[in-house]
Amino acid sequence: MRARFERLKFHGLFIKLFVVMVICIITITVSVVWTNLRMSEQLFLETFSITNSKVIHQIHSNFESFHYSIVLAANQAQQSGTLKTFLTEEESSESIRVMNSYYNMTLQMKRVQSMVDAYSVGVAIVGKNGRSYSGNVNLTKPSALELHQSYITKRAEAQPGKLMYQLYRDSGGRQFIVATKVLLERTTGQEYGMLYIIIDENDFKPFYSSFTSEGNDVIIMDKSGTVMTSNLSSLTGQKNRELLFYAQEIQGQELDVKRVNVMGRDQLMLAEYLPSYDFYLLNMIDQQMVLGQMVNTRSVVLICLGIVLVALIVVFLISRKMTRSLTLLARQMSKVTRRNFHNYVNVSGGYEIRELGRAYNYMLDEIHEYVAKLVETQKGQRKAELAALQQQINPHFLYNTLTSVKFLVQQGNKDRAVETIHALISLLQNTISNVSETITVEQELKSLKDYVFINHVRYGERIRVNYFVAPDCAEYQVPKLMIQPFMENAFFHAFNVKSEGVIHVLIAKEGQKLLCEIVDNGDGMDMAKLELEHGAGKPNLHLKTSESTGIKRSEAASANHVTQDKQKFKSSRKLFSGIGIANVNDRIRLLYGEEYGVTITSKLGEGTQVRITLPLSEKS
């Protein structure tokens, strides 16, 4: 019984497919008519909504063309010195001067009017000095003074930098859409007038009326919910929060179309925001009217049944054949034991199954390669972690520095002691508190200067350090404590024979690389001998991090203490950077790749040059 169950387990896919097919046949037989009718309805409505989306786009284009003309006219008025003079100068008793002012203003207003001649609009201005001009194409539009005394002026003045479109209703009940623009002084931003461009709401309708029909309505409303214009005249001027809510929802959720019930009817609503006007453009489609012509139900049922039955037979035969190959593949794959990635499967069966088999075998190959790379990566990670641990402050370094501070205080040189403590604090913060793998060149130099300062306090200034850093390199990222190990090596090993010298630190760009060099004129090294001792290509392995007996302190200290320090320097203990010199190259290659790293050149008796190559990297 158990053996049968095990064999049946590999046929689970076919059993599931067969059960699903039976359920589908029963379900389709009962619901295919209703489903296809709904699909036909949905398809018809979606097609219609797509068509109307293009209509909305065309309406939007018409509005934008009108808005472009209004912007040109407003800019012409704003930039006109003639209009500014007319609206700001005080009344004069000289009639000729007044006549010239009015004449020039009239000519300028005609130029402004010419920008919107393609539309039946009026242009009016009112100045802070009380002057006004109404250049309406006919007397049916409100005058400049009427508009200036209305609520639309206050709204425009509340947002002086914006070209606003507002609905205005005069005392006779006529409705106009008015573009308002506050005229401002360019330099001071002070208001000196108001520009009004007026279009009758009925003259605004042609922008969209050709795209409307019975059951297909267009509504334009502002953000307060006020209907600015519509082919449904009863809505114009009215506030409709419901329509505003749906428009904002469609825009907020980026819906193509939304089914709503407004004004007692089921509607398909499309909406688009017009940023130039700060309006919502709504298109409402009556579903019942659109779906007036439905498909033949009986034909749909018969056709769907025939298609489903044929498809069911074809799917049954194909799935039966495919599941046999899948069953064989599943049996082979089930033999792959845990952590054993060498059980490759035999590639056979149909095209799809063969591709699956090849993909599975390829996956095993990739796993083998990935595991090998993972092992190498973990080795590199462990090496990097070891390097990070080795970048910790050595207690002896702290002890010697604090001892130097003590002697400075005893000698009364408190300012020097304070400077030394500040340098040590800064160094500790960068080494211990800052856990980042990389820091800026500026931060690295700060730590380096603190370290050099401490060494000058401890041992005197017989070794000078000069810094040459290109200004455009300060913000590039470098590995933390990258230069310090080489500076330490130069301090404690480069001047054992020579009594004094100079260390130069140079940082600059070279193409797409950042170059850092630490150059000293000290004792130098025999590179050929070092390569024989440590192997070719690894000349940096000779660098040690223990202090030498040749270093002298500059501050007066007891002879006994100096002798003790020298004995300690002879030991093989690790200093500030641990084995930093040996692993700087490995850290750089681990971070940036094999093309970057450290190269060291040296000549005995002439000095040593350390060259560090890095990519140009900025903090993201």
Side-chain angles (χ1 to χ4, degrees), residues 167 169 173 175 201-202 205 208-209 212 217-220 227-239 263:
L167 183 66
R169 179 176 292 179
Q175 299 180 123
E201 190 263 336
N202 289 322
K205 287 182 177 179
Y208 61 84
S209 58
T212 62
D217 304 313
V218 172
I219 299 172
I220 311 295
V227 177
M228 308 295 289
T229 180
S230 174
N231 64 306
L232 301 174
S233 301
S234 60
L235 295 178
T236 304
Q238 304 297 318
K239 281 197 173 185
M263 295 181 290

Side-chain angles (χ1 to χ4, degrees), residues 252-391:
Q253 300 180 10
E254 298 183 355
L255 302 176
D256 294 327
V257 64
K258 182 177 180 64
R259 292 174 181 249
V260 298
N261 186 283
V262 292
M263 295 181 290
R265 294 182 297 175
D266 292 329
Q267 308 265 10
L268 289 176
M269 180 180 288
L270 296 87
E272 184 171 345
Y273 177 62
L274 308 178
S276 302
Y277 293 81
D278 206 14
F279 292 166
Y280 285 105
L281 168 61
L282 283 72
N283 182 209
M284 296 196 307
I285 307 157
D286 191 316
Q287 291 190 44
Q288 294 300 322
M289 191 169 294
V290 170
L291 298 175
Q293 297 179 346
M294 293 297 296
V295 295
N296 188 309
T297 305
R298 183 176 180 181
S299 298
V300 170
V301 171
L302 293 176
I303 292 172
C304 289
L305 280 175
I307 293 174
V308 168
L309 289 174
V310 172
L312 191 59
I313 294 172
V314 173
V315 170
F316 177 82
L317 296 175
I318 293 176
S319 62
R320 178 64 177 173
K321 181 179 180 180
M322 189 167 61
T323 52
R324 286 179 178 174
S325 301
L326 281 173
T327 300
L328 179 60
L329 181 62
R331 286 177 177 173
Q332 291 177 333
M333 292 174 66
S334 65
K335 296 178 182 179
V336 178
T337 59
R338 187 180 183 186
R339 297 190 183 132
N340 185 358
F341 303 116
H342 297 279
N343 285 338
Y344 292 88
V345 300
N346 296 323
V347 178
S348 61
Y351 171 76
E352 294 83 359
I353 307 304
R354 292 198 305 273
E355 289 300 308
L356 283 174
R358 293 191 186 98
Y360 180 77
N361 292 337
Y362 177 76
M363 180 188 68
L364 291 182
D365 292 334
E366 288 292 307
I367 289 175
H368 295 154
E369 183 178 352
Y370 173 75
V371 169
K373 289 182 178 179
L374 184 60
V375 170
E376 291 300 320
T377 302
Q378 288 178 343
K379 289 181 180 178
Q381 184 178 357
R382 289 181 180 274
K383 194 172 184 179
E385 291 172 352
L386 177 61
L389 290 174
Q390 291 163 342
Q391 298 299 323

Side-chain angles (χ1 to χ4, degrees), residues 396-444:
H396 293 282
F397 177 81
L398 293 175
Y399 169 77
N400 292 334
T401 303
L402 293 175
T403 301
S404 299
V405 172
K406 181 184 74 172
F407 286 134
L408 289 172
V409 173
Q410 289 175 347
Q411 295 168 4
N413 195 349
K414 295 183 179 180
D415 292 339
R416 189 71 165 176
V418 170
E419 290 182 51
T420 305
I421 290 174
H422 283 321
L424 180 61
I425 291 173
S426 177
L427 200 57
L428 290 173
Q429 286 176 336
N430 184 53
T431 306
I432 298 175
S433 300
N434 188 354
V435 297
S436 302
E437 178 69 25
T438 61
I439 58 176
T440 64
V441 170
E442 184 178 6
Q443 292 172 322
E444 176 73 3

